[in-house]
Amino acid sequence: MGHALFTLCIGAAVGINYGAYAPRRLPLGRSVLAVVLFDVAAGLAFSVIVLPLLLADGLAPAQGPGLLFLGLAHGFGNSTGGDLHGALFFLLSALLALCSVVALFEPLVSTLQQRLGLTRIRASVVMFALVWSLAVLGALSLQPESAFSGLLQLSDRLLVEGLLPLGALAVAVFVGWLLPESHVRAALGRESTWFYHGWLLLLRYVAPFGVLIVWFHALAPG
């Protein structure tokens, strides 16, 4: 559930950005369902790759930056052909991160254009410099003797255990209970009645409790 919350919340942010440019007749319900299915399949495939790699090297499964930058790097470095496989893995990880960054850049760049009157190129340069600076600080924080030690872990904890669950809960409550149902039904106009009511039932009564369970579990000590 934590994996789904993390990946789908970021996916929702990207989806909102791209959705602003989507055709009005796009079947939103089926498109979202396809994203969920692909996300689950990718998560299972990642588990099949990662867990044997870590356990074969005697490493305890971890999560967050420690898993990606420490556990997997160590696992690939001590496996047969690990240099090649690790290089390909981290190259693909960098490409996936770049795709997400480009999508998440859009609302920030558009905001600078609208609020400050910057051209798109200048707004992109400003945001790139800001994000690059934060990325450098995150990389430096991995060094124990660095003045920024622990910054990446703190940011990851704040994002995963705080902002993502809060954002998901806010969206579920706003769309499920506060947004006029006529607006919601119009957005899902191409979906059948049973699909719409089933989705609304999950959004109102299941999703908030699922988010709260993940949230309380993440905040629980130990």
Side-chain angles (χ1 to χ4, degrees):
M1 292 180 69
H3 165 79
L5 184 63
F6 180 81
T7 56
L8 293 178
C9 278
I10 295 179
V14 174
I16 291 173
N17 300 334
Y18 285 138
Y21 304 98
R24 289 185 177 273
R25 298 296 295 171
L26 180 72
L28 292 179
R30 281 166 281 179
S31 300
V32 171
L33 184 60
V35 170
V36 172
L37 293 177
F38 279 117
D39 178 78
V40 172
L44 292 176
F46 184 78
S47 300
V48 170
I49 296 172
V50 169
L51 291 180
L53 181 66
L54 296 178
L55 296 177
D57 203 40
L59 300 174
Q63 60 182 353
L67 170 62
L68 182 61
F69 298 112
L70 300 178
L72 287 179
H74 190 277
F76 279 119
N78 291 277
S79 62
T80 304
D83 292 341
L84 175 60
H85 298 154
L88 292 175
F89 177 85
F90 284 106
L91 176 61
L92 291 176
S93 298
L95 291 176
L96 289 174
L98 180 61
C99 292
S100 299
V101 167
V102 170
L104 294 173
F105 254 34
E106 177 59 28
L108 301 175
V109 171
S110 298
T111 300
L112 289 181
Q113 287 183 269
Q114 295 174 11
R115 300 295 183 181
L116 302 180
L118 299 179
T119 64
R120 188 169 186 83
I121 294 179
R122 290 183 177 178
S124 300
V125 171
V126 170
M127 290 311 307
F128 177 81
L130 176 60
V131 173
W132 181 264
S133 301
L134 294 175
V136 170
L137 292 179
L140 292 176
S141 70
L142 296 176
Q143 301 295 328
E145 66 277 5
S146 171
F148 306 102
S149 179
L151 178 63
L152 185 60
Q153 290 81 355
L154 177 62
S155 302
D156 178 69
R157 184 179 178 85
L158 177 64
L159 174 67
V160 175
E161 299 180 6
L163 297 181
L164 284 180
L166 181 62
L169 184 62
V171 170
V173 172
F174 176 74
V175 177
W177 293 99
L178 301 180
L179 196 65
E181 191 169 347
S182 58
H183 291 27
V184 179
R185 190 67 184 99
L188 298 174
R190 294 197 59 183
E191 308 302 342
S192 62
T193 301
W194 68 267
F195 185 101
Y196 169 75
H197 287 294
W199 168 82
L200 189 62
L201 179 67
L202 292 174
L203 183 66
R204 285 182 172 179
Y205 301 103
V206 178
F209 289 105
V211 172
L212 289 175
I213 290 173
V214 176
W215 203 359
F216 290 149
H217 180 270
L219 295 177

